[in-house]
């Protein structure tokens, strides 16, 4: 089929081809070359939802059959873009209710790009409808949601890939293989992670009527209904704990997930966090502008720090992680890495991010695209497809996404209660702390019902 030939050619011409081959294996390439067109839907047609969908279109023979969004203007614009990007040229069917989309279409894959407070219900409903799911991080806004998502993926035997695409970032794959796994760091007994980007929205918009093109009730869904003060898209919703988990849930989840992958870490044994709104007190936003969290492991502490004010410790690495070993140090980000050995006679190693601007020229005209992340997301999609074909687990399996997400949520619970938390994943409880346990599940706004991991 011409479709599969084109996609195979796009795939093998990339600068990351060798990494992709090793990640996918021959079986994954066979799956791409068989030419089956996968039926795909996107729920949440905002910036990153479209970005994820377009990366999938670039690497696999897919037909985007349906789109869903509560913003009619955004939905219509997304339909126009999709018709131009997909080979068939067809416009997808449009929906304002994701449940209607799932009930009226037989789908192979559902991509979820909605705000965090919708991830759990939509993922669970999609796998129950028979689809594999690619869901953005963080996977949930509370710990019980995440447990239910894992339970649903396993019960319905569906692949759920989480958008923690650092695991598919070419230079970070190389760093893991050639530095961490090769033993150049020695014993790693300290990790630092940080974000000093000024990401906290400082606006104070007035209340206003809800526009006709936006279904604000449906946008809010199971979350608390805030008085309407403007379009929640374009990161305004991230300013509120009602819809997410603050900067820690948004940015630490990426770095912590990458560190766990590199060092083969599971659940932390204990989590301690403190912080709050220390500086930027004038804004409506209720997320912390300053926070520190410690994720403890045997003979290893992973420390997170964010500030949405001031200057970064290292201007070249404002959002990054550092692995400290007794033989060397690895400093890494989405843009580069630097390895510094203890041995003064040994060589330092530096590597920059891989771009694929020449391979995928359409990237250059895509609005708000993260060019540095595009190759990683393409590889992440290929890994997702290979897991579907083989019936295996993807590199960012829902369970791994849950551990990383829940750990960040538990850090927020520690900050809220003022004491450390120890989570028992088998009992799904925080050990010996009734007050903290009550925070594992947020109340849902009626008529939405909170998912139960024992009954999905």
């Amino acid at each position: 089929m011409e479709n599969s030939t084109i996609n195979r050619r796009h795939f093998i011409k990339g600068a990351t081809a060798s990494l992709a081959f090793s990640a996918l294996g021959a079986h994954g390439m066979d799956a791409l070359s068989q030419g089956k067109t996968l039926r795909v839907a996107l729920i949440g047609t905002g910036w990153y939802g479209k970005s994820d969908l377009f990366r999938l279109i670039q690497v696999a023979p897919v037909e985007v059959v349906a789109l869903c969004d509560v913003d009619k203007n955004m939905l219509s614009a997304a339909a126009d873009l999709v018709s131009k990007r997909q080979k068939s040229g067809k416009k997808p069917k449009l929906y304002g209710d994701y449940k209607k989309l799932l009930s009226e279409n037989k789908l192979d894959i559902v991509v979820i790009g909605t705000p965090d407070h919708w991830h759990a219900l939509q993922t669970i409903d999609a796998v129950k409808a028979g689809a594999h799911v690619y869901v953005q991080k963080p996977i949930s806004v509370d710990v019980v949601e995440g447990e239910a998502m894992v339970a649903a993926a396993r019960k319905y035997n569906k692949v759920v890939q989480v958008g923690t695409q650092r695991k598919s970032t070419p230079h970070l794959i190389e760093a893991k293989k050639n530095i961490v796994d090769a033993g150049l760091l020695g014993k790693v007994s300290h990790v630092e992670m940080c974000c000093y980007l000024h990401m906290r929205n400082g606006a104070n918009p007035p209340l206003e009527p809800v526009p006709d093109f936006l279904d604000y009730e449906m946008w809010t869904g199971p979350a608390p209904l805030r008085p309407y003060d403007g379009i929640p898209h374009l990161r305004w919703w991230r300013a509120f704990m009602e819809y997410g988990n603050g900067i820690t849930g948004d940015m630490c989840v990426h770095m912590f997930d990458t560190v766990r992958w590199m060092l083969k870490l599971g659940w932390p044994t204990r989590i301690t966090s403190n912080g709050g709104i220390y500086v930027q007190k004038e804004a409506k936003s209720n997320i912390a502008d300053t926070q520190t969290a410690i994720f403890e492991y045997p003979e290893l502490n992973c420390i997170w720090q964010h500030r949405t004010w001031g200057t970064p410790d290292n201007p070249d690495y404002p959002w990054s992680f550092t692995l400290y070993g007794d033989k060397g140090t690895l400093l890494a980000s989405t843009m580069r890495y630097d390895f510094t050995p203890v041995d003064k006679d040994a060589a330092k190693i530096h590597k920059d991010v891989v771009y694929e601007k020449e391979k995928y020229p359409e990237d250059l005209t895509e609005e708000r695209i993260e060019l540095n992340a595009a190759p990683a997301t393409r590889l992440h999609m290929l890994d997702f497809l290979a897991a579907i074909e083989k019936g295996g687990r993807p590199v960012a399996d829902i369970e791994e996404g849950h551990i990383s997400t829940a750990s960040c949520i538990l850090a927020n619970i520690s900050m809220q209660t003022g004491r450390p938390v120890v989570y028992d994943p088998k009992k799904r409880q925080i050990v010996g702390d009734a007050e903290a346990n009550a925070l594992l599940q947020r109340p849902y706004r009626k008529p939405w019902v909170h998912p139960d991991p024992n009954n999905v």
Side-chain angles (χ1 to χ4, degrees):
M1 287 177 62
E2 176 63 10
N3 198 1
S4 63
T5 302
I6 289 172
N7 281 281
R8 182 182 175 91
R9 186 166 67 244
H10 270 286
F11 171 55
I12 63 177
K13 74 181 181 178
T16 56
S18 61
L19 286 167
F21 272 114
S22 63
L24 281 167
H27 192 81
M29 278 306 299
D30 289 344
L32 290 180
S33 62
Q34 286 171 3
K36 178 189 175 185
T37 299
L38 301 168
R39 292 171 58 83
V40 176
L42 170 65
I43 302 173
T45 63
W47 162 48
Y48 228 87
K50 292 196 295 289
S51 182
D52 284 337
L53 181 66
F54 293 156
R55 304 294 79 74
L56 177 60
I57 290 173
Q58 286 176 322
V59 299
V62 301
E63 179 70 20
V64 183
V65 298
L67 302 174
C68 180
D69 205 290
V70 295
D71 183 325
K72 292 178 182 177
N73 291 349
M74 185 176 288
L75 184 63
S76 176
D80 289 340
L81 288 172
V82 170
S83 69
K84 294 173 184 175
R85 293 293 290 262
Q86 66 177 351
K87 183 173 173 57
S88 71
K90 293 180 180 178
K91 280 192 177 183
K93 291 181 282 186
L94 305 182
Y95 294 85
D97 184 340
Y98 81 93
K99 288 196 172 187
K100 187 176 181 183
L101 178 153
L102 293 175
S103 68
E104 292 185 359
N105 297 276
K106 178 65 176 174
L107 300 165
D108 297 300
I109 292 172
V110 171
V111 178
I112 296 175
T114 48
D116 303 350
H117 66 283
W118 267 116
H119 290 177
L121 290 180
Q122 290 169 346
T123 297
I124 292 168
D125 287 340
V127 299
K128 290 173 75 171
H132 302 285
V133 173
Y134 186 100
V135 61
Q136 260 307 322
K137 59 80 222 169
I139 67 162
S140 64
V141 294
D142 69 43
V143 175
V144 176
E145 280 184 339
E147 297 283 8
M149 295 166 80
V150 176
R154 301 297 184 254
K155 179 177 179 178
Y156 297 98
N157 194 29
K158 294 300 174 184
V159 176
V160 180
Q161 175 88 305
V162 179
T164 46
Q165 73 272 32
R166 304 287 80 83
K167 294 175 176 177
S168 297
T169 300
H171 70 278
L172 295 180
I173 293 173
E174 181 185 286
K176 181 180 188 301
K177 179 182 178 182
N178 296 339
I179 296 174
V180 181
D181 294 348
L184 270 61
L185 294 176
K187 182 182 179 183
V188 177
S189 290
H190 186 72
V191 172
E192 294 176 3
M193 308 168 287
C194 69
C195 182
Y196 300 128
L197 304 175
H198 292 188
M199 299 179 61
R200 186 174 180 271
N201 197 309
N204 280 296
L207 300 185
E208 59 181 90
V210 179
D212 293 340
F213 60 81
L214 177 67
D215 185 345
Y216 188 54
E217 274 283 338
M218 191 64 174
W219 184 92
T220 303
L225 184 69
R226 287 187 64 254
Y228 184 79
D229 53 8
I231 297 292
H233 326 320
L234 297 177
R235 304 193 71 83
W236 180 232
W237 66 268
R238 288 196 181 278
F240 300 97
M241 293 298 290
E242 287 89 337
Y243 313 125
N245 299 308
I247 302 295
T248 297
D250 185 17
M251 303 300 279
C252 177
V253 66
H254 267 303
M255 292 298 127
F256 184 52
D257 188 78
T258 308
V259 167
R260 291 201 313 103
W261 164 66
M262 284 198 168
L263 299 180
K264 300 182 176 69
L265 301 173
W267 285 95
T269 56
R270 186 169 73 159
I271 300 171
T272 307
S273 182
N274 59 70
I277 304 173
Y278 293 169
V279 177
Q280 298 167 324
K281 298 177 182 290
E282 68 285 350
K284 279 188 180 184
S285 174
N286 59 19
I287 66 173
D289 65 10
T290 310
Q291 188 172 355
T292 301
I294 303 174
F295 305 93
E296 297 180 36
Y297 292 89
E299 299 186 351
L300 169 65
N301 286 337
C302 299
I303 300 176
W304 165 257
Q305 171 70 59
H306 80 247
R307 281 183 285 106
T308 58
W309 50 272
T311 61
D313 175 60
N314 182 340
D316 289 333
Y317 286 93
W319 178 39
S320 60
F321 65 88
T322 308
L323 308 182
Y324 292 94
D326 61 351
K327 294 181 180 179
T329 299
L330 176 65
L331 176 57
S333 74
T334 62
M335 301 302 296
R336 58 181 64 87
Y337 77 74
D338 282 285
F339 168 70
T340 305
V342 171
D343 183 353
K344 291 182 174 57
D345 295 326
K348 295 182 178 180
I349 304 172
H350 173 84
K351 181 70 71 165
D352 288 315
V353 66
V354 171
Y355 290 105
E356 295 179 328
K357 300 174 187 178
E358 297 80 11
K359 281 56 174 195
Y360 297 92
E362 63 269 28
D363 286 0
L364 299 177
T365 57
E366 185 176 316
E367 186 179 4
R368 299 185 68 211
I369 188 174
E370 290 182 331
L371 287 171
N372 65 299
T377 303
R378 282 188 279 266
L379 281 185
H380 218 44
M381 289 296 180
L382 287 166
D383 178 82
F384 175 46
L385 295 167
I388 292 171
E389 180 68 17
K390 293 184 290 186
R393 302 276 167 84
V395 68
D397 176 62
I398 184 64
E399 186 171 1
E400 295 302 317
H402 171 50
I403 295 172
S404 297
T405 296
S407 295
C408 293
I409 296 171
L410 291 164
N412 287 338
I413 290 175
S414 173
M415 181 174 66
Q416 183 176 342
T417 59
R419 51 186 176 269
V421 297
V422 175
Y423 185 69
D424 185 338
K426 292 183 179 179
K427 294 183 179 179
R428 297 174 179 153
Q429 291 182 346
I430 294 173
V431 177
D433 193 330
E435 179 190 1
N437 256 319
L439 300 175
L440 292 176
Q441 177 174 320
R442 294 191 190 187
Y444 265 25
R445 194 169 67 104
K446 294 181 179 178
W448 307 99
V449 178
H450 198 288
D452 178 357
N454 296 312
N455 185 27
V456 291

